[in-house]
Every structure is written in C-alpha cells, then in structure tokens.
Amino acid sequence: MTRASTLRTTALWGAFAVAHLWIAVAGWVLPSQPMGDVVLVYEPWSSAALSGGPVVGITETWVYPQLALVPMLIAKMLSTPLIAVLGASQAYLVAWAVLVTVLDAIAFAVLLSRRPVPQRRVAGWFWTAALLMLGPIAMYRIDAITVPVAVLGGLWLVRRPALAAVLLTVGAWIKIWPGALLLAAVVAVRSRMRVLLTATAATAGIILVLWALGADSEIFGFLTEQTGRGLQIEAVAATPFLWLAVSGAARIEYSFEILTFQISAPGADAVSAVLTPLMAVLVVVVTAIGARKATRGASFARLFPPLALTLVAALIVVNKVGSPQFQTWLIAPVVLWFVWDRARANGPALIVLALCALTCLIYPLNYDALLRAEVLPVVILTARNLLLIVALVVGLRAVVRVPAHRSSSPRE
C-alpha cells in the first residue's frame, strides 16, 4: 500500500470513528430521547431474561424475531462492570453504543480489506456520511445490529456463499429486512442452491433451538404481532392522513400495545389492512423481474445491488410502519452497490443520503411538532416519503435495465 493510500484509509477510519462518537453522544443530547428504545425497552427485556423472568420470544409472543434478544443480552452483560459507576440505565446505553461500534468496525474492516480499492473507500465514505446524516437513530435501535451483518453477508456472497447465507439468515432472525438481501442473493448469485440450502438449514437449526428452549406458538409470533397494528404516522401510506390531521380531520393517537403513534381517521384501517398483501405482491413481482434477468444471463455484479435495494425499498414503502430506523436498511445495499458496480451507485447513494438527512430532521429534531401535526414537519415527512417512492422506482428501473446476455428463446 502506498503512503497516499495509507493516508486516505487512515482518514476514512478516523471519520468513521468520529461519526460513531458523535451519534453516540447525540443520542444523549438531542430532543425526543432518540436512545429511548434501548434504555426503556431493550434493557428491561434483557434484565428480565437474565433474572429468571419472562423471556420475550420464548415464553411470550414478541414483536421481533427471537435472535434480536441476543445482542440485547450481550449489551446487558457488557454493561455489568459499569453499573456501579453509571447506574444500570446509563451503563446499558454505553454498552449498546460500544457493541454497535465494534460490529460496524468489523464490517468496515472487511469492506476496506488490506488493500482497499477506490470503490471500497467510496463505499466507506458513503456509510460514514449516512450515519452522520441519520444521527443517533442509526445506533440506538436493534436495526443497527443488522446493518454490519448485512454488509458482511453481501461482501462474502461470491467467495464464501455459505457463510454469507448464514449471516443474512441470522440477520433476518434479528430484524426481518436482511431477508430481502438473502432473496436477492438467491436470485442473482450463481451458487444460489448453496445459498438457499444453507439458509434453509440455518433457519431449521434456529427453529429447533427455539423449540428446545420452550418456544412453540411464539416462534413465529413476530409475524402475527404485526397483523393487528394500525397505520403508523411516519409510514408512506399515512402521508395523506397526516395532512388531514393538519386540518383537524384526523387524529394522532398513541398505541400502548405497540408503543408507537398511529393515525386515527376514516379509511386508515382499510389502508393498513391492504398494505401487507400489497407488499407481498410487490416483492413477488420484483423478484420475478430479477429472476428473469438472472435466467437470461445477467451478471451478479449488475443485478444483485439494484435488486437488493429495490426489495428493501419495497419493504419500507409498502409498510404500515414507517419508523425512522428503517432508513438504516438502505445503507447496506448501497454500500454493496459501490463495491460491485461503482459506476451506477452514485444516484442511489445521493437519494439514500437525502433520506437519512430528512429523517433526522423529522426524528428526533422535529418529532414533537410532528405529533402536534404542525405544517413544517409534515412537509418534511411528505418529502421524505415521496423520496422513498423515488428510491423504489430508481431501484426497479435499474433492475429492468440490467443487461441480459442470453436470448430468451427456448432453444437457448
């Protein structure tokens, strides 16, 4: 590695470290308590599990897949030496920030490798910028654990497909969205059968362990828990109802069962009910388009990144939930897009950076005003949600335009 290359890599590592330090501190000082879920929900769940109380996902139905409890328990154990000095809550927050930073650093090191090529450094700068623009929500949610897992899985799909499949499967059992990357891999990678069989075996192993621990009807509870929830205020489909709330024709209400703010208005429940089936249809359609490209000879490097981004965007756009941390899901596909197809990654990257910045403006900076249905945050949220649709369209357009090298003729 030349001296100039070493300096560029060192500067990138420095920026990555500063970004993590800033968003860790910002969680403590910005409004709306952006680290609230970690200290108010994750810490009690992990404490209960370690002290002989109820174990979410095992003894009771949970909103997350069961492996989401693992990083929560790790953070609790890491926090133990700090409790005497900081107290249980603050010690847990510090431990969580350290855990996320370490996992990100591992994935970042693999991304840059020993001799980082330019496209990998650009991917690193994009990741760093996305974290800074999204702010503390990029760290203080369970989704932050899945981003480095997804990046690692994507980086290893070609050379270590079985390991990549295991990582993406584990990621999906923490938060569902990495399953979109796994689906894209099954479509785009040449060793698709190895990926599919490994993912199936990993899932079977996880289910077997959960059953042995005492889970039965709770194993897939994270799916059934989502069916009855209403339309969250930040969801893309909630945007028209938010404008009704501005005019006083709709209400924003807090659900103590789901712990989130939802829209109460005529028609909102009907829209909420149709979104999940619509999401399934959209995922099937996008997958079918990608599969057709793959069968006609599209290369992995051209097909996988836009297909992964499109599938992830579909999970966000056609979702009854619109939590701000969902924007972290978009980081991994774009990082991988830079690695595999640098020439066509700039546009999607700019869109995702803008989404991160707009999301931070909404939460945590203007969230109280949003809950009061004030015009400015509703305008910002409307712009963010429209840009999410743009991200979906841009990704789908890129998939459609992937060159296929073989004729669709039956003879070939």
Side-chain angles (χ1 to χ4, degrees):
M1 187 183 299
T2 65
R3 178 179 176 81
S5 180
T6 301
L7 289 175
R8 286 193 291 266
T9 303
T10 302
L12 179 51
W13 268 109
F16 198 66
V18 169
H20 281 78
L21 179 61
W22 158 243
I23 62 177
V25 173
W28 297 66
V29 299
L30 292 182
S32 303
Q33 201 175 16
M35 73 298 200
D37 278 19
V38 174
V39 68
L40 298 177
V41 185
Y42 302 172
E43 194 278 334
W45 280 335
S46 55
S47 294
L50 291 174
S51 62
V55 181
V56 286
I58 302 296
T59 62
E60 57 184 49
T61 302
W62 198 26
V63 71
Y64 296 133
Q66 284 82 354
L67 292 191
L69 185 60
V70 174
M72 298 177 191
L73 294 174
I74 292 173
K76 184 61 180 177
M77 290 184 284
L78 289 175
S79 72
T80 302
L82 303 174
I83 292 177
V85 178
L86 300 176
S89 296
Q90 293 186 357
Y92 192 81
L93 284 170
V94 171
W96 184 267
V98 169
L99 176 61
V100 171
T101 301
V102 168
L103 291 175
D104 279 357
I106 292 171
F108 204 68
V110 174
L111 170 66
L112 295 184
S113 68
R114 294 183 179 180
R115 297 178 182 273
V117 292
Q119 64 263 33
R120 288 179 177 250
R121 276 197 294 265
V122 173
W125 281 115
F126 162 78
W127 191 354
T128 302
L131 292 175
L132 284 171
M133 291 186 178
L134 188 53
I137 202 67
M139 175 175 285
Y140 292 111
R141 290 295 187 274
I142 187 63
D143 309 66
I145 300 294
T146 58
V147 173
V149 174
V151 169
L152 284 173
L155 290 173
W156 286 337
L157 271 171
V158 173
R159 294 187 177 181
R160 301 179 179 90
L163 178 57
V166 170
L167 284 173
L168 292 175
T169 302
V170 167
W173 276 91
I174 295 175
K175 198 73 186 284
I176 296 173
W177 76 267
L181 271 66
L182 183 60
L183 179 58
V186 170
V187 170
V189 76
R190 289 187 177 182
S191 51
R192 58 180 57 87
M193 285 307 299
R194 185 185 303 179
V195 170
L196 180 59
L197 292 175
T198 303
T200 302
T203 297
I206 291 169
I207 292 175
L208 183 61
V209 170
L210 293 175
W211 180 80
L213 290 173
D216 41 57
S217 60
E218 293 83 10
I219 290 179
F220 296 106
F222 61 92
L223 297 176
T224 58
E225 278 288 289
Q226 301 289 338
T227 56
R229 69 188 305 165
L231 190 61
Q232 190 182 9
I233 61 171
E234 294 153 274
V236 172
T239 306
F241 296 103
L242 269 183
W243 284 104
L244 290 177
V246 171
S247 67
R251 298 192 311 276
I252 295 174
E253 298 180 345
Y254 187 74
S255 169
F256 288 95
E257 181 181 358
I258 303 296
L259 305 179
T260 190
F261 288 94
Q262 300 180 163
I263 286 288
S264 177
D269 289 342
V271 170
S272 177
V274 77
L275 285 176
T276 300
L278 183 59
M279 181 193 297
V281 170
L282 182 57
V283 167
V284 169
V285 170
V286 171
T287 303
I289 294 172
R292 178 170 173 79
K293 290 289 183 177
T295 57
R296 296 183 64 189
S299 69
F300 170 82
R302 286 295 303 271
L303 180 58
F304 174 76
L307 182 59
L309 181 67
T310 305
L311 288 171
V312 170
L315 296 184
I316 300 173
V317 171
V318 194
N319 199 319
K320 63 179 71 177
V321 183
S323 300
Q325 62 267 24
F326 285 10
Q327 310 313 308
T328 61
W329 304 359
L330 298 167
I331 294 174
V334 175
V335 167
L336 298 171
W337 204 331
F338 274 116
V339 171
W340 296 114
D341 188 17
R342 165 74 177 85
R344 279 161 282 272
N346 289 338
L350 291 175
I351 292 173
V352 171
L353 290 177
L355 285 168
C356 290
L358 289 170
T359 299
C360 186
L361 286 175
I362 300 160
Y363 185 89
L365 297 181
N366 287 285
Y367 199 64
D368 287 343
L370 178 65
L371 297 181
R372 295 191 295 269
E374 295 182 8
V375 172
L376 178 59
V378 173
V379 168
I380 297 172
L381 182 57
T382 300
R384 197 283 306 272
N385 287 346
L386 289 173
L387 194 56
L388 278 169
I389 297 174
V390 170
L392 175 62
V393 172
V394 166
L396 184 57
R397 178 173 178 266
V399 172
V400 170
R401 297 181 68 179
V402 169
H405 303 295
R406 290 200 299 268
S407 169
S408 59
S409 168
R411 292 176 298 174
E412 298 179 302

